[in-house]
């Protein structure tokens, strides 16, 4: 996420000199999805001892699987949008919709009870709130209602911030 946000910011401010970065940030989301597919829960399907059914019946593991699918979908769809393959404006709503869905899931994502779980929940809440604000700014940026680059800086900066929050995350 940190790398994706940085590339999106570079693409927003860099103009033609950094035009390649507009492909890099969706690719980073896709690679994040691949990483999460392998590492989301070591004991669960597909690489752990738990079967697929056992994995999806655990709410926490199921949410991790959904976060994985969301990252893969955002990466693939946004990369195709950058290429011009998905040109209809409705495709621009997929990223914000999926990201807001992931943010809402973060508000419901629990890691037990107690002081440590409360700390994790606060961390998740900061990331979720940042993600929702980022996606509001992304919608404004994509709609081109203004010539200002402020919304570009806001959504890319907040994605970078969420990446930083993930970097310092611990359980």
């Amino acid at each position: 996420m940190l790398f994706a946000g940085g590339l999106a910011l570079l693409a927003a401010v860099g103009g033609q000199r950094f035009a390649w970065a507009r492909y890099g940030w969706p690719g980073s989301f896709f690679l994040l999805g691949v990483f999460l597919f392998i590492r989301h829960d070591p004991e669960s399907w597909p690489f752990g001892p738990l079967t697929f059914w056992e994995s999806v019946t655990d709410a926490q593991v199921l949410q991790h699987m959904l976060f994985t699918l969301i990252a893969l979908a955002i990466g693939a769809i946004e990369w195709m949008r950058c290429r011009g393959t998905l040109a209809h404006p409705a495709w621009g709503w997929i990223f914000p919709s999926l990201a807001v869905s992931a943010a809402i899931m973060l508000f419901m994502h629990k890691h037990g009870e107690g002081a440590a779980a409360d700390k994790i929940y606060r961390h998740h809440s900061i990331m979720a709130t940042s993600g929702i604000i980022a996606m509001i700014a992304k919608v404004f940026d994509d709609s081109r209602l203004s010539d200002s680059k402020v919304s570009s800086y806001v959504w890319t900066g907040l994605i970078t911030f969420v990446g930083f929050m993930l970097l310092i995350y611990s359980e």
Side-chain angles (χ1 to χ4, degrees):
M1 287 286 292
L2 184 64
F3 191 62
L7 286 174
L9 184 59
L10 191 60
V13 300
Q16 283 303 106
R17 182 174 175 203
F18 297 106
W20 57 269
R22 70 185 192 135
Y23 295 101
W25 74 262
S28 296
F29 265 92
F30 189 80
L31 291 175
L32 172 64
V34 170
F35 173 78
L36 289 174
F37 180 74
I38 295 167
R39 290 276 310 152
H40 66 85
D41 286 290
E43 70 281 352
S44 70
W45 179 89
F47 301 110
L50 297 178
T51 66
F52 176 78
W53 185 250
E54 290 170 327
S55 297
V56 298
T57 55
D58 180 325
Q60 189 173 0
V61 174
L62 179 61
Q63 285 178 334
H64 289 162
M65 287 178 168
L66 291 173
F67 290 135
T68 300
L69 292 174
I70 287 171
L72 288 168
I74 287 171
I77 290 168
E78 287 298 309
W79 189 76
M80 288 188 280
R81 284 188 66 220
C82 287
R83 288 191 61 227
T85 307
L86 302 176
H88 193 278
W91 286 104
W93 285 94
I94 302 296
F95 177 20
S97 299
L98 289 175
V100 167
S101 298
I104 291 168
M105 283 190 332
L106 270 178
F107 282 122
M108 298 181 294
H109 191 65
K110 302 287 184 186
H111 285 266
E113 298 292 329
D118 291 344
K119 177 186 165 235
I120 292 170
Y121 184 74
R122 280 191 303 277
H123 192 270
H124 284 16
S125 296
I126 291 168
M127 289 191 305
T129 302
S130 299
I132 290 169
I133 295 168
M135 291 304 100
I136 292 168
K138 174 84 166 105
V139 168
F140 276 103
D141 186 39
D142 283 353
S143 67
R144 307 275 188 246
L145 294 174
S146 169
D147 289 336
S148 172
K149 288 270 200 182
V150 171
S151 56
S152 295
Y153 302 143
V154 169
W155 83 262
T156 57
L158 285 170
I159 293 296
T160 304
F161 173 72
V162 170
F164 174 74
M165 293 293 291
L166 287 168
L167 191 64
I168 64 170
Y169 176 74
S170 67
E171 290 187 10

